[in-house]
Amino acid sequence: MEDNDIATRAPESDAQEKPQEPPAGQSVFPGDTIAQQGPSMGEHCTTDRPTPSGEKPTGDLTKLGGIECYVTKPTDYPHSPSKLLLMLTGGTGVKSTNNQLQADKYAAEGYLVVMPDQFDNDPAPNSVDMTEISQEVSWLESVKLRTAEGIKSFMIDMWLARHTPEKVLPLLHKVIESAKEEYADAVANGGGIYGIGYCFGAKYILMLAAELPDTVAWGQATPKDEEQGTVEKKPVLRAGAVAHPTMTTMEDLEAVKAPVYIAAVKDDPMFSEDDVLTPGRRVMETNKVEHEIQVFSGVPHGFAVLGDYEDSKIKHSQAQAFGQMLGWIQSH
């Protein structure tokens, strides 16, 4: 692990309506600040790398709780016991060949993998078609539409405004409840559900590994009248592992209660070390939450998502991150 820095290891213990642009200093997620979140999404969150040559997905697209999911199973299931793994992707979504192949890799290690369409058939825009820019957004042209990059950034901001916790979490809960029934044997064998998340999906794995007020756990706001009281909803996941989270705040890490592993990227503007990672690590230590954070240097945000790179260092780090994430959930 000479290329990487182990930061810490704690001891065992909507509608398609035009969204309003967030006010200055505020993110598309209520309560998050720009300083906390950094840039919204990176190129590697919204665009797949070349698919490894000769590999084809082996799972199937099906529906759980009315939500489309990619489900992939060990070759000997159900004759041999398996464990249930929820995998959440970056912006490229459930129909990405690379994401499906990544799920297959976990299935090959003995996990029954459920990868839901957390975007409800609306994956992140990864290219800009000028015909998609309507007159309805002309009021922002002077600010957001000066360059092609500005247009793409604006479209991603609009996309993020459609996929907030209030939309994503209820969808995930539908899938989870259905999977508990459909694959009760795998849930029982693993003593619960495990979670893997990349980029956008990492935030939601952390939320599912957290103890949250019941309203927040389902994507709703905390009651303004604190005297009403809130019931704390226990973590959905037995353990989770995530890589290069986006849209994640220190408060997300503060709420975590289940064991988590985080593969971070050094100097990642989408997962700030000063504003999120370091204070989040300290609060998990204070809360005695079992965790491990590994910081990878010399790699881009999104490096851990399956896809081909020419740079041998990135390839090595990608394989290492997969091994670390797999090892974490195997050990819990």
Side-chain angles (χ1 to χ4, degrees):
M1 298 188 184
E2 66 279 3
D3 294 334
N4 308 310
D5 171 38
I6 298 292
T8 182
R9 186 183 183 112
E12 291 285 342
S13 38
D14 56 352
Q16 302 293 317
E17 297 176 353
K18 180 181 72 177
Q20 296 296 315
E21 184 185 30
Q26 180 177 323
S27 91
V28 294
F29 286 169
D32 295 1
T33 65
I34 295 298
Q36 288 174 315
Q37 74 170 104
S40 56
M41 297 276 279
E43 186 70 23
H44 289 75
C45 301
T46 60
T47 305
D48 277 336
R49 296 292 303 171
T51 300
S53 178
E55 296 190 32
K56 294 183 179 180
T58 58
D60 299 295
L61 287 169
T62 186
K63 287 196 174 182
L64 290 171
I67 308 301
E68 188 170 40
C69 299
Y70 179 79
V71 177
T72 179
K73 308 169 184 177
T75 54
D76 53 356
Y77 177 82
H79 303 294
S80 296
S82 184
K83 297 179 181 180
L84 187 65
L85 177 66
L86 179 73
M87 179 175 153
L88 303 182
T89 72
T92 52
V94 70
K95 293 182 180 178
S96 155
T97 298
N98 285 2
N99 291 337
Q100 293 179 357
L101 289 172
Q102 188 129 47
D104 290 347
K105 289 184 67 175
Y106 289 105
E109 298 293 338
Y111 290 89
L112 193 161
V113 185
V114 173
M115 184 172 72
D117 179 10
Q118 62 202 6
F119 307 124
D120 195 21
N121 200 32
D122 179 30
N126 56 16
S127 61
V128 177
D129 182 348
M130 290 299 293
T131 63
E132 294 179 9
I133 306 301
S134 71
Q135 292 182 352
E136 293 180 340
V137 298
S138 60
W139 59 281
L140 271 180
E141 285 182 357
S142 62
V143 178
K144 300 288 286 189
L145 306 183
R146 292 177 181 173
T147 65
E149 196 61 35
I151 296 172
K152 181 174 181 179
S153 176
F154 175 58
M155 293 185 70
I156 289 176
D157 285 348
M158 291 180 69
W159 176 80
L160 286 169
R162 297 196 296 271
H163 300 290
T164 57
E166 66 180 1
K167 301 293 178 59
V168 176
L169 284 171
L171 182 153
L172 294 178
H173 280 295
K174 288 180 182 179
V175 172
I176 290 166
E177 292 307 311
S178 180
K180 284 180 178 179
E181 295 183 9
E182 184 76 17
Y183 306 115
D185 57 331
V187 176
N189 183 57
I193 300 172
Y194 297 84
I196 292 285
Y198 298 90
C199 298
F200 183 102
K203 176 183 177 76
Y204 291 89
I205 290 297
L206 293 172
M207 293 187 80
L208 294 172
E211 183 176 87
L212 298 170
D214 189 61
T215 51
V216 176
W218 287 87
Q220 302 168 17
T222 304
K224 293 182 180 179
D225 183 357
E226 295 297 335
E227 293 182 1
Q228 293 180 24
T230 56
V231 176
E232 294 294 317
K233 194 171 183 67
K234 299 297 182 182
V236 172
L237 302 178
R238 180 180 176 90
V242 303
H244 34 72
T246 58
M247 314 301 293
T248 299
T249 68
M250 190 275 286
E251 288 77 14
D252 291 332
L253 299 180
E254 185 176 23
V256 168
K257 291 294 183 288
V260 293
Y261 167 90
I262 300 174
V265 174
K266 187 172 180 59
D267 299 323
D268 185 352
M270 278 157 282
F271 189 53
S272 169
E273 185 170 353
D274 292 338
D275 297 319
V276 183
L277 183 58
T278 297
R281 180 190 69 218
R282 288 171 180 163
V283 78
M284 287 192 289
E285 290 173 350
T286 299
N287 293 341
K288 293 182 168 55
V289 173
E290 186 187 356
H291 65 283
E292 181 175 334
I293 299 173
Q294 185 164 353
V295 178
F296 290 80
S297 60
V299 296
H301 177 94
F303 81 95
V305 177
L306 187 73
D308 199 13
Y309 285 91
E310 294 183 1
D311 189 325
S312 61
K313 176 178 174 58
I314 300 177
K315 287 184 177 181
H316 173 75
S317 295
Q318 185 181 91
Q320 187 178 0
F322 174 79
Q324 293 283 354
M325 294 171 77
L326 174 65
W328 182 261
I329 59 175
Q330 285 176 332
S331 66
H332 293 85

